Amino acid sequence: MSREDYEAIIGLEVHAELSTKTKIFCSCETNFGGKPNTHVCPVCMAMPGALPVLNKKVVEYAVKAGLATNCEIAPYSKNDRKNYFYPDLPKSYQISQFDKPLCVGGKIEIETEHGTKQIGITRIHIEEDAGKLNHDDYGRNSLVDLNRAGVPLIEIVSEPDLRSSKEADTYLKKLKSILQYIEVSDCKMEEGSFRADVNVSVHKKGEAFGTRTEMKNMSSFRSITRAIDYGIQRQIDVVENGGKIEQDTLRWDEVEGRTYVMRSKEDAQDYRYFPEPDLGTIEVSDEWKEEIRKSLPEMPEQRKTRYIEEFKLPEYDSNIIVSSKYLSDFFEVATKVCNNPKSVSNWIMTDIIRVQNEEAVEKMPFSPEQLGQLIVLIDKGTISSSIAKKVFEELLKQPRNPEEIIKEKGWIQISDEGEIKEIVKKILEDNPGSITDYKAGKDRALGFLVGQAMKATKGKANPQLLNKLFLEELKK
Amino acid sequence: MNLYELTVHELIEKLDNKEITPEEITRSYIDRINEKEKDIKAFVTITEKDAIEKSKNIDRKISKFAGIPIGIKDNICTKGVRTTCSSKMLENFISPYDATVMDKINAQNMITLGKLNMDEFAMGASTEYSYFGATKNPWNLNKVPGGSSGGSAAAVAADMVPWALSSDTGGSVRQPAALCGVVGLKPTYGLVSRYGLVAFASSLDQIGPITKDVEDCANLLNIIAGYDNKDSTSAKLPQKDYTKNLKNGVKGLKIGVPKEFFGEGINEEVKEKIKNTIELYKELGAEVEECSLDIADEALAVYYIIACAEASSNLGRFDGIRYGYRAKNFENLDELFINSRSEGFGAEVKRRIILGTYVLSSGYYDAYYKKAQKVRTFIKQEFEKLFKKYDVLITPTSPTVAYDIGTRSTNPLEMYLADLCTVSVNIVGLPGISIPCGVDKNGLPIGMQIIGKSFGEETILKVAYLAEQKLEFRNKYKPEYK
Amino acid sequence: MDIKKEEILHIAKLASLKIKEEEIEEYRKNLQDILEFANIINSVDTEYLEETNGTSTNINFLREDEVNNFKDTDQLMKNAPEQENNMFKIPKVIN
């Protein structure tokens, strides 16, 4: 049997760090870096006698995420302890939520090659992050840094509605964009503030679902896609060879491009969940819920519709722009400055996305206002579009006001008709052959002449005027 | 008369009259400690130098308790002074912060005399399970002082501290107070902040005073009670003065006497002395009625399931990484965890961790932990029914008087029965006070427990005060060596 | 009810405790005695009862998201049995 005879069932568990100012159960700053064990206190370091107090913003952010993914918000919710020993878990239990999560039963829509598809959200719950393990210089010991311990997380569990790595990728990107839009997480995968564990099973079409395995330790969208493809193929191979899939937890090895067994089902952890006695209950009243709902910003779907209807952008472009909150916000601000959405969109779709890909960065060094100002200069005829490209490169190197750039570089467009006429005459004098060619019906000669004039003016001549004046002269 | 023999309110009177100074008081207690500690062994750490130094510079204008010494059970975190929980695990642990109750004590400019012995991690009823050795009962040095706050109760009874702060998870304040002939109060859950109390069982633990008399008890409660934004289970209630209604009497008050608490397992002399006191209340105008509260055995079972379950989780943090005992020999991380914990915890602590882990583990959670939490609801309802009719309930505090050291610690189950009368109060979060109401034929004190409604501390203190005044226990009986 | 030796060993492992061979029987017996006593809770009909997880009635005991860093972070490290570069030192963790 071939791969086409199988169907894969994929579900994702996403952990996103919430961008609150303080940790989930203590007032330590979350915004850290630098020296280990400096953003800690008796609570997040699990000193004897210390007690947790829940951060209100964490509840609000989780509810916000729930509302943005069409979840029901539980009117009554509580925290539970998940008990296990690990050196990055100072209390030897993680405060999480077990049977009463804050949000349940949501869904989001993704675009697939077969059209729009709904992906169910089983639940969203709040919990605390663990610390970090570093290694000493000799590789003989590990070192525990608890700065990250207690940073708030939401865990978003999807229904097993995904069928391919492509769908999983689209779902994750959509989820990331939603969380960024509602400003509850910065979702930096490379910094670990957005992580996903994957459950995969395969079965022959028309048969019952297979046994699932869980894969961990993927640190980029690419590695998730690779891991899923690998996992599906591995399971099909096992089944094809008459083997049995074990319900294991697997660790993805990015370098080797394969998985290793972390834990088999037999030694599955017994987490001994029980209600956290140090915390009270959480009740999200209808009033509170509505207040949070009101704070939700315009979502990508709504923005897309607005871009298409109001700004007449193509659907394809609109989709790409709203898929990233950064690009979409960039678009909004730049458009406000120059009032030329089409032009902003073009810059984003070509130059900005190119830079993003080439440099593997999300953010431009310059501000959307500066792009807007650049477009204003083009629209006013102060610079030509070819100069504009040079200004853009300059913005990348050393961001500043585009007007300053063109003044400094002497790039202001020559739009004086008399001055351009002089240039045109000079070029025609120097290239009599081109005049003959043009008159013989070779239209290309005009392009050549304009090019020569641009070269002579270092691109500063107004191209429309050049064209017009060359034609006038050639017709004489 | 020696200063150390006085109650705190008597000391304050003398301070206010400028008859004595804080330094004289502190020196009197330090001398007393130095004389008696070798027999009683009430302390884990004595902070003699700091105490005397501090007593020299007391501003009495700060509070009326400025310059009054106090002893602290060694599971309450004190910054700069080790907090051991009487465990090898924390033998050298110095807390980087003060418990909220310590902030309150320090704000009064009171003087800490030291840290008091206890059963390891408050698990025990005799203080025999201390890593630092057993505390002796001042009434008879061969007897246990009760536990887990045996060091606190013995120190107060032997006049080594004027009063003490202790913790009560299943009777750890009340039972040793009863066995040592002093006053011990477990406040309503949430009245006193648990922040900085090394957790045994989070949903049951509560800090309470052990004092020489009821007035001191009300005073110390005034100091430590109150809302704390660092403890999510802290109750947001207006501050009260618990001394205000102390002397208001019991006329018309309805007292329930649950007959099941006077059954077979209770020592006859204990029953008799308590019944005599109940008769006294009748004479003083209270309405006394026998009632039924048939939950004692169930409560004890619920208590051990819940307390051990929570403890098994609370004590997970002692893993040899950030603080506490670390095994000398280990090959890998697992061995570091296992060896440190196995060597750092005593047998009783490990026994309870095993029980707690068992009742939470897969396959047993529903049958034990979940079931116990439901029975807890049942017990709560039974109390609620009674408190619709009665203002307070009266029971013995301990089924027996103090027993010989070393005679019970071999059989854990038998020892757990010592908590029979006290645990139900913790399970439902109610306040309970133990006061001495007489001695048995061997001269050992007998404690009576008064249980109140939720946040009904004023009422039980008033009831306790009246009996204390009529019985004059402190005048009539003294520990053997006084 | 009969608790097996293997169960005791499994529970000890969950709790990160080691029980010496000669102590296993004692732990087993103690646990069994206590659980047998604890079975008395089965005499209570709890069909219509909710669980009481604690006696605090606090709802939404929440803290504002305001930074208040702990001042004595040095003191937090002082109890560490072993440390390096301001981190807690432990045997190498193998994934």
Side-chain angles (χ1 to χ4, degrees):
Chain A
M1 282 181 124
S2 70
R3 178 155 186 177
E4 280 64 48
D5 300 316
Y6 285 88
E7 188 170 44
I9 304 294
I10 302 161
L12 293 171
E13 287 167 19
V14 170
H15 286 93
E17 267 181 13
L18 298 179
S19 47
T20 52
K21 282 187 264 177
T22 64
K23 293 186 178 182
I24 181 166
F25 297 121
C26 60
S27 303
C28 290
E29 218 173 332
T30 49
N31 184 15
F32 48 81
K35 218 180 156 199
N37 290 316
T38 49
H39 289 80
V40 285
C41 74
V43 177
C44 56
M45 208 176 245
M47 283 289 155
L51 296 171
V53 180
L54 181 56
N55 184 342
K56 188 178 178 190
K57 262 271 146 54
V58 170
V59 179
E60 283 178 5
Y61 279 11
V63 169
K64 234 171 150 178
L67 292 171
T69 52
N70 309 296
C71 286
E72 296 286 326
I73 307 304
Y76 159 86
S77 181
K78 68 176 170 68
N79 294 98
D80 299 277
R81 291 188 184 177
K82 179 182 182 181
N83 297 284
Y84 63 97
F85 286 90
Y86 204 68
D88 66 3
L89 189 70
K91 294 191 294 293
S92 291
Y93 57 83
Q94 179 195 34
I95 304 178
S96 180
Q97 295 194 283
F98 184 55
D99 58 342
K100 301 261 187 238
L102 261 178
C103 317
V104 291
K107 59 174 188 293
I108 63 176
E109 284 182 351
I110 60 168
E111 300 301 323
T112 72
E113 49 200 5
H114 312 296
T116 304
K117 183 172 174 179
Q118 282 195 352
I119 308 299
I121 305 287
T122 316
R123 57 185 280 164
I124 301 177
H125 72 248
I126 54 174
E127 61 185 28
E128 57 184 333
D129 208 344
K132 264 186 181 159
L133 296 182
N134 298 309
H135 298 286
D136 74 354
D137 300 341
Y138 312 102
R140 282 172 35 213
N141 295 290
S142 293
L143 301 170
V144 187
D145 171 15
L146 295 175
N147 277 346
R148 202 182 63 185
V151 167
L153 297 174
I154 47 174
E155 179 173 331
I156 304 162
V157 182
S158 84
E159 290 288 313
D161 290 342
L162 301 155
R163 294 291 174 269
S164 67
S165 61
K166 182 88 182 32
E167 284 187 9
D169 186 62
T170 311
Y171 164 80
L172 281 175
K173 284 180 175 152
K174 182 69 179 274
L175 194 58
K176 176 180 163 179
S177 123
I178 290 172
L179 297 181
Q180 287 179 327
Y181 267 92
I182 61 174
E183 294 177 323
V184 302
S185 172
D186 57 15
C187 296
K188 286 181 184 153
M189 220 168 192
E190 65 282 4
E191 288 173 23
S193 68
F194 188 81
R195 320 190 276 267
D197 299 335
V198 183
N199 288 304
V200 173
S201 71
V202 300
H203 61 273
K204 283 180 191 149
K205 283 178 184 162
E207 293 184 4
F209 283 14
T211 305
R212 60 176 198 175
T213 57
E214 187 181 4
M215 291 189 285
K216 289 175 177 285
N217 195 41
M218 289 81 72
S219 56
S220 66
F221 285 110
R222 203 179 100 81
S223 66
I224 290 170
T225 302
R226 283 180 73 202
I228 292 173
D229 287 338
Y230 170 86
I232 292 171
Q233 193 57 53
R234 187 190 69 86
Q235 292 193 13
I236 291 173
D237 291 347
V238 170
V239 176
E240 282 288 290
N241 291 321
K244 215 174 134 258
I245 305 295
E246 298 296 333
Q247 196 180 328
D248 295 334
T249 303
L250 309 166
R251 184 178 60 84
W252 170 250
D253 188 309
E254 179 68 16
V255 179
E256 295 182 39
R258 56 162 293 189
T259 53
Y260 289 93
V261 176
M262 262 173 86
R263 258 199 315 273
S264 65
K265 195 195 174 186
E266 286 71 51
D267 42 54
Q269 301 257 37
D270 182 350
Y271 290 121
R272 290 158 284 136
Y273 278 101
F274 75 101
E276 168 56 282
D278 284 331
L279 293 166
T281 57
I282 307 165
E283 291 186 20
V284 181
S285 64
D286 286 345
E287 295 79 52
W288 194 13
K289 189 170 74 184
E290 287 319 308
E291 204 179 293
I292 297 168
R293 195 193 299 279
K294 275 185 210 138
S295 76
L296 285 175
E298 189 184 31
M299 298 303 287
E301 296 304 314
Q302 296 161 297
R303 281 197 182 178
K304 186 177 122 185
T305 311
R306 186 159 57 84
Y307 293 175
I308 296 169
E309 286 173 3
E310 204 177 305
F311 297 143
K312 311 284 178 236
L313 298 189
E315 188 176 347
Y316 177 79
D317 298 13
S318 306
N319 259 331
I320 288 188
I321 293 173
V322 301
S323 71
S324 145
K325 175 163 197 294
Y326 172 74
L327 286 181
S328 181
D329 286 349
F330 204 96
F331 172 82
E332 302 268 335
V333 176
T335 300
K336 216 163 248 166
V337 172
C338 67
N339 202 21
N340 187 347
K342 276 231 159 87
S343 178
V344 177
S345 164
N346 287 337
W347 279 98
I348 289 176
M349 294 299 292
T350 54
D351 297 83
I352 289 182
I353 288 180
R354 171 180 57 82
V355 172
Q356 280 184 331
N357 292 335
E358 283 173 8
E359 312 285 325
V361 291
E362 188 183 28
K363 293 191 175 162
M364 295 297 112
F366 55 85
S367 69
E369 283 87 355
Q370 288 168 333
L371 179 69
Q373 288 156 356
L374 176 61
I375 295 168
V376 169
L377 292 172
I378 306 167
D379 291 350
K380 282 201 311 202
T382 314
I383 54 171
S384 65
S385 48
S386 56
I387 288 289
K389 296 276 178 197
K390 285 162 80 174
V391 176
F392 184 84
E393 293 306 317
E394 200 57 38
L395 281 175
L396 288 173
K397 272 187 253 165
Q398 198 192 335
R400 54 204 194 276
N401 189 330
E403 216 160 341
E404 257 172 53
I405 296 176
I406 60 171
K407 266 189 202 147
E408 190 189 301
K409 302 268 178 191
W411 286 345
I412 295 172
Q413 181 164 267
I414 305 164
S415 296
D416 179 272
E417 220 175 301
E419 198 178 328
I420 290 186
K421 202 161 204 167
E422 288 305 309
I423 296 161
V424 165
K425 280 182 177 165
K426 171 88 177 28
I427 298 290
L428 287 172
E429 265 172 45
D430 295 348
N431 298 284
S434 295
I435 303 173
T436 323
D437 285 353
Y438 182 80
K439 294 203 165 155
K442 290 182 183 164
D443 286 348
R444 270 187 318 178
L446 177 63
F448 172 77
L449 289 166
V450 170
Q452 289 302 303
M454 282 302 237
K455 211 168 161 187
T457 59
K458 291 180 180 137
K460 289 191 287 182
N462 181 323
Q464 282 84 34
L465 266 178
L466 271 182
N467 251 320
K468 183 181 143 220
L469 294 174
F470 268 120
L471 281 172
E472 275 176 25
E473 288 299 315
L474 287 167
K475 276 181 190 153
K476 275 184 188 166
Chain B
M1 186 175 227
N2 295 302
L3 287 182
Y4 59 72
E5 287 176 70
L6 300 176
T7 61
V8 171
H9 57 90
E10 287 162 351
L11 288 172
I12 290 171
E13 223 180 281
K14 290 196 183 299
L15 279 169
D16 286 347
N17 295 334
K18 306 251 175 337
E19 293 168 43
I20 54 170
T21 67
E23 190 183 344
E24 282 164 14
I25 299 173
T26 300
R27 284 192 184 278
S28 164
Y29 274 104
I30 292 289
D31 290 347
R32 178 72 175 173
I33 291 169
N34 287 335
E35 183 196 338
K36 291 291 166 194
E37 175 60 8
K38 60 181 189 307
D39 295 333
I40 307 287
K41 296 190 173 21
F43 282 84
V44 175
T45 304
I46 301 165
T47 53
E48 177 177 343
K49 256 179 80 185
D50 287 352
I52 289 175
E53 210 44 53
K54 189 171 179 186
S55 73
K56 290 176 182 167
N57 298 297
I58 293 294
D59 181 358
R60 284 281 302 152
K61 286 196 279 295
I62 288 175
S63 100
K64 73 172 179 174
F65 302 105
I68 297 293
I70 189 166
I72 308 293
K73 187 177 180 180
D74 210 16
N75 60 350
I76 295 172
C77 286
T78 48
K79 195 176 168 178
V81 177
R82 70 177 177 157
T83 300
T84 70
C85 293
S86 288
S87 178
K88 182 180 180 184
M89 182 59 86
L90 291 178
E91 189 175 0
N92 300 307
F93 173 73
I94 295 182
S95 172
Y97 73 102
D98 270 322
T100 295
V101 289
M102 289 315 298
D103 285 341
K104 289 175 183 265
I105 293 294
N106 293 332
Q108 299 289 333
N109 219 351
M110 284 165 66
I111 295 166
T112 304
L113 294 173
K115 303 296 290 286
L116 296 160
N117 201 16
M118 54 190 276
D119 285 296
E120 184 180 359
F121 283 102
M123 297 176 181
S126 66
T127 317
E128 290 167 288
Y129 291 140
S130 164
Y131 174 64
F132 302 104
T135 297
K136 312 289 166 54
N137 191 322
W139 294 77
N140 179 336
L141 296 177
N142 296 319
K143 306 278 178 188
V144 299
S148 66
S149 312
S152 304
V156 174
D159 291 331
M160 296 158 84
V161 297
W163 55 11
L165 274 189
S166 298
S167 71
D168 187 316
T169 306
S172 282
V173 159
R174 290 158 289 155
Q175 186 259 15
L179 268 49
C180 291
V182 292
V183 176
L185 169 72
K186 184 208 87 86
T188 308
Y189 188 82
L191 185 63
V192 179
S193 169
R194 292 184 296 118
Y195 190 79
L197 169 67
V198 181
F200 162 11
S202 311
S203 79
L204 305 165
D205 294 343
Q206 193 61 191
I207 293 173
I210 293 182
T211 58
K212 292 181 183 179
D213 71 2
V214 176
E215 188 174 340
D216 277 2
C217 185
N219 271 318
L220 191 47
L221 186 62
N222 275 349
I223 296 170
I224 61 172
Y227 171 75
D228 180 17
N229 61 14
K230 293 207 279 276
D231 174 0
S232 306
T233 59
S234 170
K236 208 164 193 171
L237 293 169
Q239 207 77 31
K240 269 190 199 167
D241 178 359
Y242 293 98
T243 61
K244 226 175 92 190
N245 295 321
L246 269 188
K247 294 162 192 173
N248 284 1
V250 296
K251 206 157 270 168
L253 198 93
K254 295 193 183 68
I255 298 176
V257 182
K259 58 176 189 280
E260 292 82 1
F261 282 76
F262 295 83
E264 249 176 70
I266 312 294
N267 173 293
E268 287 304 321
E269 282 185 275
V270 170
K271 280 189 221 172
E272 186 200 315
K273 285 288 175 323
I274 293 169
K275 286 194 169 154
N276 291 346
T277 313
I278 292 169
E279 283 306 311
L280 186 66
Y281 283 126
K282 261 191 209 165
E283 286 162 24
L284 293 164
E287 291 173 33
V288 177
E289 198 176 282
E290 192 180 75
C291 62
S292 173
L293 183 61
D294 194 7
I295 47 94
D297 286 344
E298 290 82 355
L300 193 59
V302 166
Y303 171 76
Y304 274 93
I305 291 168
I306 293 170
C308 293
E310 291 180 5
S312 73
S313 174
N314 284 332
L315 270 59
R317 67 186 61 196
F318 302 104
D319 57 8
I321 294 183
R322 296 166 312 285
Y323 46 75
Y325 178 80
R326 171 180 279 206
K328 298 289 163 288
N329 299 310
F330 51 87
E331 293 294 321
N332 54 43
L333 182 70
D334 269 350
E335 285 186 18
L336 165 64
F337 282 152
I338 292 171
N339 296 355
S340 300
R341 291 168 58 76
S342 302
E343 294 165 26
F345 290 137
E348 178 60 18
V349 172
K350 283 188 266 191
R351 208 157 23 229
R352 296 202 195 192
I353 291 174
I354 294 283
L355 172 61
T357 306
Y358 183 88
V359 298
L360 287 175
S361 69
S362 165
Y364 301 105
Y365 180 87
D366 286 356
Y368 290 106
Y369 184 80
K370 201 170 177 181
K371 178 76 184 182
Q373 296 285 43
K374 286 184 174 174
V375 176
R376 192 179 193 177
T377 307
F378 168 76
I379 295 168
K380 213 169 120 189
Q381 290 174 348
E382 292 300 295
F383 270 101
E384 278 163 6
K385 274 188 226 160
L386 289 181
F387 278 116
K388 276 194 189 125
K389 279 175 83 176
Y390 307 110
D391 298 299
V392 299
L393 303 175
I394 290 181
T395 73
T397 308
S398 164
T400 66
V401 293
Y403 52 85
D404 285 340
I405 290 173
T407 51
R408 273 199 209 168
S409 48
T410 47
N411 184 343
L413 189 57
E414 192 188 324
M415 222 184 66
Y416 295 172
L417 290 169
D419 299 330
L420 191 70
C421 303
T422 45
V423 291
S424 54
V425 166
N426 299 76
I427 288 170
V428 296
L430 296 175
I433 191 169
S434 177
I435 55 163
C437 63
V439 295
D440 75 348
K441 57 181 182 294
N442 297 317
L444 290 169
I446 291 166
M448 178 178 86
Q449 175 173 238
I450 306 160
I451 304 168
K453 296 178 181 174
S454 200
F455 300 105
E457 278 78 0
E458 273 182 300
T459 307
I460 58 174
L461 283 163
K462 179 173 79 178
V463 174
Y465 184 82
L466 188 64
E468 181 187 75
Q469 297 306 307
K470 297 293 169 193
L471 295 171
E472 292 190 80
F473 180 86
R474 269 174 59 76
N475 293 336
K476 286 185 193 156
Y477 312 103
K478 301 251 185 262
E480 61 175 14
Y481 59 82
K482 268 197 183 175
Chain C
M1 193 180 68
D2 210 9
I3 294 171
K4 293 184 186 66
K5 181 182 163 187
E6 294 69 44
E7 268 185 294
I8 293 288
L9 294 174
H10 169 69
I11 294 296
K13 194 179 161 204
L14 278 179
S16 271
L17 289 174
K18 182 170 63 193
I19 297 176
K20 290 186 196 127
E21 187 62 35
E22 64 267 27
E23 292 171 351
I24 295 173
E25 178 50 26
E26 190 195 331
Y27 273 92
R28 199 198 62 78
K29 179 81 171 53
N30 282 335
L31 183 61
Q32 185 152 319
D33 284 353
I34 295 162
L35 289 175
E36 264 165 19
F37 168 72
N39 280 330
I40 191 170
I41 58 173
N42 292 319
S43 64
V44 181
D45 178 7
T46 55
E47 203 185 330
Y48 301 105
L49 294 179
E50 294 286 315
E51 293 123 69
T52 296
N53 293 323
T55 54
S56 161
T57 51
N58 286 343
I59 297 163
N60 293 345
F61 194 102
L62 302 167
R63 172 176 63 76
E64 293 301 322
D65 187 26
E66 285 159 11
V67 176
N68 183 11
N69 286 325
F70 187 69
K71 308 289 180 299
D72 290 333
T73 45
D74 290 350
Q75 295 297 320
L76 287 170
M77 297 299 296
K78 283 226 167 112
N79 289 291
E82 236 187 312
Q83 56 170 297
E84 191 176 308
N85 299 333
N86 213 46
M87 287 180 275
F88 304 104
K89 194 167 169 181
I90 54 169
K92 190 174 179 180
V93 178
I94 310 147
N95 264 327

